[in-house]
Amino acid sequence: MTFEDYETGDFFDEMFEPSGEARPHYRKLLERYSRLDKEDFDRKRQAVDLSFMRAGITFTVYNDDRGTERIMPFDLMPRIIPKSEWEFLERGLKQRIIALNLFLKDIYHEQKILKDGVIPPSYVLGAKNFRREIMGIDLPRDIYIHVCGTDLIRDDKGNYLVLEDNARCPSGVSYVLENRNALRRAFPNLFPRAGVRPVEHYAEELLKMLQYINPNPNRAPVVGVLTPGSYNSAYFEHCFLARQMGVEIVEGRDLVVRDFKVYMRTTKGLQQIDVVYRRIDDDFIDPSVFREDSTLGVPGLVSAIRAGNFAMANGLGTGVADDKVMYYFVPRMIKYYLGEDPILQSVETYLASEEKDYGFIINNLDKLVVKSANEAGGYGMLMGPWASKEEIEKFRDLIKADPRNFIAQSPISLSRHPTYADSAFEGRHIDLRPYILYGEDITIIPGGLTRVALTKGSLVVNSSQGGGTKDTWVLNSDE
């Protein structure tokens, strides 16, 4: 495979310097790929695609007439992060999740950060996912966000920036593990030479974290994964993680609450369950407290948590930290709770509900990226510079009707990575979602999920919008 015709363009390229020389941490990989002929490379790609199909490594796209179940596109060229760069990211991500957890405990108890005027109370108390129903409930170990997927991008100078925090039900980690398996099978001799840090211990760390928040210390915890069921877009992942941890996967109909304790229905009768990794949103988790029409949740679950007999990861109410308006305030949280400056920088953000920002946003929609506060997966977003006049006018009306529900950011020229497309390697934009586990220690799987916008020129990396994934390597050294 040759890179002679590869062009970095005016972007920060992860693999090549502007001069065209490979960056030090990519040189071993480049040497290996350069020895491959195209036929051999295509055979490896086909073998990987076939293995994904056989393993059912899929995701679901809603509202698509062409069908809902898709094989996750996987690019055979991995993204590589050198040791020192990863250590910097780890420090920044740990700082961020500590501050977010302190924030959540605070707003569901004393609300000091609001009383001290650091964040205007209306933004928190009026947030769609702020749950008054759990005010005053103490969670095991005071942890709310047990699993966080923080999205990172790099700008045109190679600086890492936080794009958003996924603090409710971050998905995608199953693809991290399957991508690694696939690439290891395709290049079995490459990994020992390259010095790649392992990711296979993720499920072990996840189980350890779930056991750590066991609210019943006098008994060995029974753990499960709580799923909405097979129609959920991440159902493959729910089953995958339960299997990897060796625990039960359960739906709401499998659980029942008796005397403020939660039990699983089994063929041998009821069995108490202590902790679940839940993949159901708050709205649907307990119909006796939240949406009464929910058939996915379990009546009485919140009362079991309040009684201290049952724990969930992530905790109830974490969705308020997912609110894109809260993203704007995270640097203030870090300063307020930790007395530190943020290690990782954020993208410059404007709040449509702030008078000083509102006019700027309304008058510059064609130059900005606009996001709905509580949407995900690339939905509810306006890419102003590439949008039609109709799309811009639609968002102008939406913002005027509900300014609190929108933020705006200047477009970032995302870094690119060589990606196989149309029989050659071409630059495609990427991001990175590391997975942070908050238990007895804070553990971050080395690397995370690199998502890639497979459509030429596109900045949208979400799988539901035509994106794919890459294996992400973190090295034991800087080259």
Side-chain angles (χ1 to χ4, degrees):
M1 301 299 292
T2 176
F3 291 83
E4 288 178 358
D5 297 327
Y6 182 79
E7 296 180 357
T8 58
D10 295 327
F11 303 96
F12 181 87
D13 193 274
E14 298 285 342
M15 186 169 178
F16 292 101
E17 304 273 7
S19 64
E21 188 177 0
R23 299 183 190 278
H25 50 288
Y26 273 96
R27 287 174 188 165
K28 289 177 184 171
L29 182 77
L30 180 62
E31 179 189 344
R32 176 68 182 89
Y33 273 59
S34 298
R35 293 204 304 269
L36 280 173
D37 58 40
K38 186 173 181 308
E39 289 71 26
D40 193 14
F41 185 76
D42 283 340
R43 275 195 296 275
K44 290 180 183 295
R45 288 181 57 237
Q46 290 164 8
V48 168
D49 288 347
L50 187 61
S51 69
F52 272 43
M53 188 176 298
R54 284 177 174 164
I57 302 170
T58 61
F59 67 102
T60 301
V61 178
Y62 301 120
N63 304 320
D64 192 323
D65 294 337
R66 294 173 297 174
T68 58
E69 205 73 11
R70 309 274 177 83
I71 299 294
M72 177 64 79
F74 175 63
D75 185 65
L76 227 54
M77 174 63 77
R79 183 238 191 100
I80 303 179
I81 300 173
K83 178 184 178 185
S84 56
E85 204 170 282
W86 178 250
E87 289 174 345
F88 165 76
L89 293 177
E90 274 190 318
R91 289 196 300 275
L93 293 168
K94 288 180 179 178
Q95 180 194 53
R96 200 169 177 94
I97 196 171
I98 290 171
L100 284 168
N101 268 295
L102 289 170
F103 166 71
L104 287 165
K105 186 193 174 189
D106 186 18
I107 63 168
Y108 287 118
H109 289 80
E110 295 90 348
Q111 300 187 338
K112 291 179 181 174
I113 197 168
L114 308 184
K115 293 171 184 170
D116 288 343
V118 178
I119 299 177
S122 61
Y123 282 118
V124 175
L125 305 180
K128 178 184 174 185
N129 291 305
F130 178 73
R131 304 297 180 190
R132 296 177 187 281
E133 299 87 345
I134 66 161
M135 283 293 297
I137 294 181
D138 294 321
L139 300 188
R141 313 286 186 178
D142 285 337
I143 303 173
Y144 287 74
I145 306 174
H146 306 83
V147 184
C148 187
T150 295
D151 290 344
L152 301 172
I153 57 173
R154 299 181 87 172
D155 64 14
D156 56 354
K157 295 181 178 57
N159 299 312
Y160 279 99
L161 301 170
V162 177
L163 192 60
E164 62 185 41
D165 302 288
N166 295 282
R168 273 181 293 181
C169 301
S171 61
V173 73
S174 57
Y175 303 121
V176 174
L177 304 179
E178 289 291 1
N179 288 352
R180 176 60 54 85
N181 287 337
L183 209 60
R184 194 185 293 280
R185 284 195 298 271
F187 297 95
N189 300 321
L190 180 57
F191 280 82
R193 289 189 58 226
V196 183
R197 290 182 60 182
V199 298
E200 292 79 2
H201 58 292
Y202 178 82
E204 181 184 338
E205 295 292 339
L206 178 62
L207 180 59
K208 196 187 305 180
M209 179 274 290
L210 294 170
Q211 291 170 335
Y212 178 68
I213 61 171
N214 174 26
N216 304 307
N218 297 325
R219 41 181 276 122
V222 176
V223 174
V225 175
L226 178 58
T227 176
S230 59
Y231 292 105
N232 185 267
S233 63
Y235 185 65
F236 162 77
E237 178 159 297
H238 305 164
C239 298
F240 177 89
L241 290 175
R243 190 169 60 246
Q244 291 280 314
M245 289 191 288
V247 304
E248 297 290 337
I249 184 164
V250 293
E251 299 183 24
R253 60 189 176 183
D254 301 321
L255 302 179
V256 62
V257 178
R258 296 277 188 272
D259 298 328
F260 306 106
K261 296 176 182 174
V262 183
Y263 295 88
M264 284 188 296
R265 293 186 173 93
T266 75
T267 54
K268 297 179 181 176
L270 296 179
Q271 179 185 14
Q272 187 175 348
I273 184 168
D274 305 279
V275 184
V276 294
Y277 179 29
R278 58 96 173 219
R279 303 298 293 261
I280 301 177
D281 283 346
D282 289 352
D283 277 342
F284 303 97
I285 201 80
D286 183 345
S288 66
V289 176
F290 303 113
R291 284 185 53 159
E292 61 181 22
D293 61 339
S294 171
T295 57
L296 301 175
V298 187
L301 217 55
V302 173
S303 66
I305 294 171
R306 188 182 292 277
N309 295 325
F310 181 69
M312 289 195 317
N314 286 333
L316 289 169
T318 54
V320 69
D322 248 14
D323 189 316
K324 291 180 174 56
V325 172
M326 286 304 115
Y327 164 88
Y328 177 90
F329 294 107
V330 173
R332 294 190 195 181
M333 296 176 200
I334 293 171
K335 194 73 178 176
Y336 181 74
Y337 293 114
L338 306 178
E340 301 171 0
D341 292 324
I343 295 170
L344 294 172
Q345 300 304 306
S346 303
V347 178
E348 188 175 11
T349 301
Y350 308 94
L351 301 183
S353 48
E354 286 287 302
E355 190 176 342
K356 64 182 175 57
D357 291 346
Y358 177 80
F360 174 75
I361 294 173
I362 288 293
N363 295 321
N364 291 279
L365 286 175
D366 59 335
K367 303 179 185 66
L368 297 169
V369 176
V370 179
K371 298 177 181 176
S372 301
N374 293 289
E375 294 280 0
Y379 296 103
M381 187 165 70
L382 174 75
M383 304 289 284
W386 299 274
S388 66
K389 288 183 179 177
E390 291 75 19
E391 290 171 321
I392 289 173
E393 290 310 312
K394 175 187 169 188
F395 266 77
R396 199 188 308 278
D397 292 341
L398 290 171
I399 294 170
K400 286 179 178 177
D402 185 9
R404 167 61 178 81
N405 195 41
F406 292 93
I407 67 166
Q409 297 171 328
S410 299
I412 301 296
S413 180
L414 301 187
S415 65
R416 296 201 317 188
H417 196 289
T419 301
Y420 195 70
D422 300 329
S423 301
F425 285 105
E426 296 180 357
R428 292 289 187 272
H429 296 294
I430 60 171
D431 77 350
L432 174 65
R433 175 177 293 181
Y435 294 88
I436 309 121
L437 297 178
Y438 195 155
E440 187 170 10
D441 302 305
I442 298 176
T443 306
I444 308 176
I445 185 174
L449 183 66
T450 291
R451 300 183 298 180
V452 53
L454 295 175
T455 304
K456 191 172 187 176
S458 173
L459 293 170
V460 183
V461 298
N462 306 79
S463 54
S464 55
Q465 308 288 321
T469 65
K470 290 174 170 287
D471 192 15
T472 308
W473 293 3
V474 172
L475 303 185
N476 288 317
S477 67
D478 280 348
E479 54 184 72

